[in-house]
Amino acid sequence: MYDIEASLDKQILAVMKNKPAVVFTEPTDPRIIEAACYLPRFIRPVFLASEEAVKDVIHRELGHMDSTRIEFALSESAFVDPAERTDLREEFAQACVDLPKALSRTDDVDEARDLLQQTCRFGIMAVRQGHADMVVGGITHEPRDYFRPMTRILAKQEVVCEAGVIVLPDSHPTDIFPHNILVVGDVGSNASMDPEVLANVAVGTCAVARDIFPSDVLPVINGAMVSYSNKGSDEGPSPELVRKASELVPEILADRVRLGDRYKSINIEGEVKISVALSRRSAHLYRRGQESGFDGGTNVLVVPNLDTGNLLFHLYATRYPEARKFSVMFGLRFQGVDLPMDSTAADAALGVKASVLRLHRFGHWSRTPKDTFFPRHRILAINPGSTSTKIAVYEGEQESFSEEIQHSAADLDPYEGKRIVEQYGMRKDVILKTLGNHGVDLADLDAISGRGGLLAPIKHGAYAVNQRMRDDLLGGTGSDHASNLGALIAGELVEGTEKPAFIVDPVVVDESPDRVRVTGMKAIRRKVISHALNQISTARRYAEENETFYRYLNVIVCHMGGGITVGAHAKGRYIDVNNGLDGEGPFSPQRSGSMPTGDLIRLCFSGEYTLDELLKLNKGKGGLIDLLGTADFREVEQRVKDGDSEACAVYEAMVYQICKNITALLPAFDGEAVERVLLTGGLARSEMLVRDITEGVKALGCGVTAYPGENEMYALAKGALRVLDGREVPGDYNPDVKDAQ
């Protein structure tokens, strides 16, 4: 059977940039809760009930479900009890009274308030007023209570219809519908038809099919407007209706094609017997001397009345109970989902996914108009570099703007020979000017998140910028590095306000046990300094995409940039990683990597190199620069593809060392399985490198996922959001108190 769920998932992820807020009006039906638990990757669920009421149903009815999936879904959801939201009921009641007369059912505010105590009407008005993007109902509500008000109030065009989608099992004869996919219209909306309505239903139903089924599955959408007459073979009101509708279809379809080239693959044929639409033999017999149309290739059936459409949809659903079935509304701009009362949880989830896909594919939606249920905190992320400062402003998880501010030689000359942290005042002023250029005032922000610096070792997470942190950075407790500026600038920007400033997962995150630090020389202990921000952010991203939590996963993350760090993340702890700052681990574009100790000692005392030259060979002029004369991996990759033997040998060694460092972390997990290897950083953009590393570590048996790029600005914003959303308590930086973090 065609895997419609996997198909919808893949298509949504390919076009999704943000997640819509979806209101569930029947929040205590176990099928709805179960369906919602499979949707947080694609939506932000809003349950119109208290969290306690939902959890009570879960406890009583959903013992078969994975507890982690439920926990994750609830953490991503909002719970709204309409009885307690008098502010929204008041707004919605006034909006109901102000509706055009054709839409309104009352002009009395008190009556409207009473109606809005019903979750279905509350949810519909929440969408109309912009507090949410989509409403879901019908699984327990009668059509007059949910479906009719929903279509009346949310309609965006004159003709609204409902397409019934059925994916039939393999037991159905495969030579009737391509891939056993059938779409039927209209199955729910129009109790009476005229030619114009029928023509719009035909185009709308075919448009739904085109939107949700990729062209490699159904290259052409073949819609048939069926009748008991075939091409004028009989008379009567029904054939006459279909004939007139068929004449209107080309113009309506042309309007649809103007909205997207994908609709050019829609063909609609009118006034055909259903047997002719489905059977090549019948088509041959009925069409002697006529144009053949698309004999036997029909995948959309458009019927001339609601009774027939509803009958066909439910007849197939009853005959093939294992079929996947759901309905999709057309004409609401994707704002409503209607669920048949006999829907399963899986079918309910499919109905929502189909509408979410169409919402993204249409291209007009970018985010929920209002942030009532999911506050969009405004975060400024700051990531200082040696000669530039990256800033970005986020509203929730969506970037508003980003800019890399370059600092000229004239800007930096006054600080020549001084510690880099002394630049924080100058950089702060430049940031304020840049924010002003984008129309952003500090008062508009909810928090500032700066790149963490070389502080004392701490556990992972977000930390409030405090005076001890500032003192350590300004006092030179650790090495002088551009990242030290992040906390200083963030703290300075919020000085005198009640707004918080944070750092997130600085390079000194260290949760390693003592066994990691011990070396064979008493005088030397291993230090843990790494790309912690991107390492942990990548692990969290993988967890979210798999609808679980960082604290439940065992993963190995390999950050591949100018330096390479390979880290072990065990159940939410960052327990081992090579010291990327000092070049330990695999050699990289700019760093030499771990070296044979004896040879390195002898080289140090050979007199061939000064201390400064050796330090630069280790970090800055080592690795690919020393071996091949370039740090540009794209150049190395091209030389490998061109058969350059020297480049091939170095590339093979680099892949081998990366794979060796990944697999060497297996003992860190104390016998527990590793669930995934994650590749990130700029080098993860190389398909060749990702392919060869994947092959090199396949003995681990866990598979590899690549997340190209460093994603540091997003990681900084996400860390602040976790605190503001109440998901994480910020750490208190105080290295004098053991485990104070």
Side-chain angles (χ1 to χ4, degrees):
M1 186 163 68
Y2 175 68
D3 193 343
I4 179 65
E5 182 173 28
S7 175
L8 290 175
D9 289 358
K10 181 179 179 181
Q11 292 181 83
I12 293 172
L13 293 174
V15 296
M16 182 177 75
K17 295 181 180 178
N18 205 349
K19 294 190 288 189
V22 177
V23 178
F24 292 94
T25 64
E26 296 145 326
T28 56
D29 186 287
R31 293 170 294 172
I32 290 296
I33 298 173
E34 184 172 347
C37 285
Y38 286 90
L39 292 169
R41 193 177 182 188
F42 312 105
I43 68 168
R44 300 181 188 276
V46 181
F47 291 96
L48 295 186
S50 68
E51 186 170 1
E52 292 72 22
V54 173
K55 285 182 174 179
D56 181 62
V57 176
I58 292 170
H59 177 72
R60 289 185 287 105
E61 305 282 350
L62 297 177
H64 61 281
M65 289 195 67
D66 177 68
S67 60
T68 301
R69 176 175 289 280
I70 293 173
E71 181 186 1
F72 181 81
L74 296 185
S75 74
E76 296 291 306
S77 301
F79 300 88
V80 181
D81 187 346
E84 296 181 357
R85 292 302 302 265
T86 54
D87 58 331
L88 291 178
R89 290 215 323 275
E90 192 64 32
E91 176 193 333
F92 298 168
Q94 190 59 53
C96 285
V97 171
D98 293 340
L99 286 170
K101 286 189 176 181
L103 303 182
S104 178
R105 284 297 179 263
T106 180
D107 58 2
D108 183 86
V109 174
D110 290 332
E111 185 179 353
R113 290 193 191 101
D114 291 339
L115 286 171
L116 286 162
Q117 293 185 45
Q118 301 174 23
T119 56
C120 52
R121 294 180 184 272
F122 185 96
I124 292 166
M125 291 306 297
V127 172
R128 182 176 175 90
Q129 294 298 107
H131 299 278
D133 305 294
M134 192 177 296
V135 62
V136 180
I139 207 165
T140 62
H141 286 123
E142 298 291 347
R144 64 176 176 270
D145 296 321
Y146 171 73
F147 181 79
R148 296 302 170 191
M150 183 262 291
T151 54
R152 184 177 70 251
I153 292 173
L154 299 182
K156 296 297 185 293
Q157 56 191 58
E158 191 170 338
V159 177
V160 172
C161 67
E162 187 171 16
V165 180
I166 304 172
V167 179
L168 294 159
D170 296 336
S171 56
H172 184 272
T174 56
D175 60 343
I176 296 180
F177 304 114
H179 293 279
N180 269 345
I181 293 169
L182 170 63
V183 183
V184 180
D186 181 11
V187 301
S189 294
N190 299 286
S192 60
M193 296 270 197
D194 61 29
E196 186 173 0
V197 170
L198 181 56
N200 277 281
V201 167
V203 173
T205 305
C206 289
V208 167
R210 181 68 292 161
D211 286 342
I212 65 176
F213 292 106
S215 57
D216 60 339
V217 175
L218 295 179
V220 179
I221 299 300
N222 286 330
M225 302 172 65
V226 297
S227 169
Y228 62 76
S229 171
N230 189 74
K231 300 295 184 183
S233 65
D234 205 344
E235 298 297 332
S238 177
E240 184 64 20
L241 170 65
V242 175
R243 286 175 204 142
K244 289 182 178 179
S246 299
E247 295 172 0
L248 301 175
V249 162
E251 183 178 351
I252 298 171
L253 182 56
D255 288 339
R256 174 59 42 175
V257 169
R258 281 190 278 272
L259 296 177
D261 285 345
R262 63 183 178 277
Y263 300 118
K264 290 179 179 179
S265 60
I266 294 175
N267 296 321
I268 300 175
E269 187 175 10
E271 197 196 355
V272 294
K273 279 182 173 288
I274 192 168
S275 60
V276 174
L278 304 180
S279 165
R280 293 182 184 277
R281 177 178 178 276
S282 295
H284 175 71
L285 293 172
Y286 275 91
R287 283 177 166 160
R288 289 171 179 165
Q290 297 179 4
E291 192 175 322
S292 62
F294 40 85
D295 302 343
T298 304
N299 39 49
V300 175
L301 293 179
V302 181
V303 296
N305 60 72
L306 178 57
D307 285 340
T308 305
N310 199 272
L311 175 67
L312 269 175
F313 181 66
H314 288 285
L315 186 64
Y316 270 107
T318 304
R319 172 66 180 82
Y320 298 98
E322 66 272 40
R324 307 305 301 272
K325 62 186 186 303
F326 56 93
S327 59
V328 182
M329 297 302 306
F330 179 86
L332 304 183
R333 193 62 63 83
F334 332 110
Q335 291 186 329
V337 176
D338 176 43
L339 302 176
M341 287 188 170
D342 59 352
S343 290
T344 65
D347 291 338
L350 287 176
V352 174
K353 287 180 182 180
S355 291
V356 168
L357 173 60
R358 297 190 68 233
L359 173 76
H360 289 300
R361 183 153 282 165
F362 199 71
H364 284 198
W365 180 88
S366 60
R367 69 180 190 183
T368 311
K370 300 176 183 178
D371 62 354
T372 309
F373 302 136
F374 299 98
R376 285 191 291 265
H377 301 293
R378 211 169 193 196
I379 310 296
L380 168 63
I382 303 172
N383 187 4
S386 57
T387 61
S388 67
T389 303
K390 295 178 183 177
I391 67 169
V393 171
Y394 287 83
E395 292 188 31
E397 295 183 10
Q398 192 167 26
E399 182 186 292
S400 295
F401 77 88
S402 63
E403 186 168 330
E404 183 168 3
I405 306 167
Q406 299 295 331
H407 304 297
S408 67
D411 294 331
L412 299 177
D413 276 347
Y415 306 97
E416 184 68 30
K418 300 178 181 179
R419 296 181 68 240
I420 196 170
V421 291
E422 296 190 34
Q423 299 177 17
Y424 79 87
M426 176 271 290
R427 297 204 190 202
K428 179 201 74 171
D429 293 339
V430 175
I431 289 172
L432 286 172
K433 181 179 178 181
T434 304
L435 290 175
N437 293 339
H438 288 274
V440 177
D441 189 90
L442 287 180
D444 301 327
L445 302 172
D446 295 300
I448 298 177
S449 187
R451 182 73 186 270
L454 293 168
L455 297 159
I458 57 177
K459 295 181 179 180
H460 80 273
Y463 286 77
V465 175
N466 60 17
Q467 192 58 48
R468 177 58 191 274
M469 187 183 295
R470 293 179 180 182
D471 291 344
D472 281 3
L473 293 169
L474 288 170
T477 301
S479 300
D480 200 31
H481 191 270
S483 63
N484 293 348
L485 288 161
L488 296 172
I489 297 171
E492 186 79 6
L493 287 172
V494 301
E495 188 73 34
T497 75
E498 296 183 354
K499 299 180 187 296
F502 304 107
I503 63 168
V504 180
D505 295 330
V507 294
V508 293
V509 169
D510 181 358
E511 297 170 318
S512 302
D514 282 345
R515 68 184 185 184
V516 171
R517 299 182 180 86
V518 175
T519 74
M521 290 187 183
K522 193 173 182 179
I524 297 178
R525 301 271 289 182
R526 284 190 65 220
K527 296 177 182 178
V528 175
I529 300 178
S530 69
H531 303 93
L533 181 63
N534 195 36
Q535 284 257 351
I536 296 169
S537 174
T538 299
R540 287 185 183 277
R541 178 178 175 183
Y542 176 78
E544 288 181 8
E545 289 185 358
N546 288 273
E547 297 168 310
T548 186
F549 299 94
Y550 177 53
R551 63 180 179 270
Y552 293 150
L553 290 178
N554 287 337
V555 294
I556 296 172
V557 182
C558 179
H559 173 104
M560 304 181 295
I564 295 175
T565 56
V566 186
H569 301 253
K571 299 294 192 290
R573 291 174 57 245
Y574 192 23
I575 59 172
D576 195 2
V577 66
N578 56 296
N579 184 342
L581 184 66
D582 276 351
E584 182 186 30
F587 71 81
S588 71
Q590 298 176 353
R591 300 179 189 179
S592 62
S594 298
M595 306 293 291
T597 308
D599 289 340
L600 180 59
I601 292 171
R602 284 185 284 272
L603 187 64
C604 290
F605 288 91
S606 68
E608 186 176 347
Y609 296 96
T610 66
L611 172 62
D612 186 59
E613 287 170 338
L614 280 171
L615 288 173
K616 287 181 179 178
L617 266 179
N618 178 54
K619 184 183 70 174
K621 292 187 177 181
L624 295 181
I625 291 178
D626 190 45
L627 295 168
L628 295 175
T630 180
D632 188 342
F633 190 78
R634 293 168 297 182
E635 179 184 335
V636 174
E637 187 173 23
Q638 188 59 52
R639 286 168 63 178
V640 170
K641 291 177 180 178
D642 291 342
D644 181 324
S645 59
E646 184 181 21
C648 288
V650 170
Y651 170 77
E652 184 179 351
M654 183 176 176
V655 171
Y656 174 74
Q657 288 196 15
I658 293 171
C659 293
K660 184 169 72 170
N661 276 261
I662 290 172
T663 55
L665 283 176
L666 199 58
F669 299 93
D670 292 323
E672 292 189 9
V674 175
E675 294 168 56
R676 203 73 176 172
V677 172
L678 309 177
L679 306 180
T680 185
L683 299 190
R685 294 189 177 94
S686 168
E687 294 181 5
M688 182 176 79
L689 182 61
V690 170
R691 179 199 67 204
D692 292 341
I693 293 173
T694 301
E695 180 68 18
V697 302
K698 66 180 180 182
L700 287 175
C702 61
V704 175
T705 299
Y707 295 105
E710 296 186 351
N711 309 305
E712 290 171 337
M713 308 306 286
Y714 181 67
L716 289 171
K718 285 278 283 186
L721 287 171
R722 284 193 296 274
V723 175
L724 296 180
D725 289 337
R727 298 168 185 248
E728 182 179 318
V729 177
D732 178 28
Y733 177 74
N734 187 357
D736 295 334
V737 180
K738 187 177 181 181
D739 292 331
Q741 298 85 6

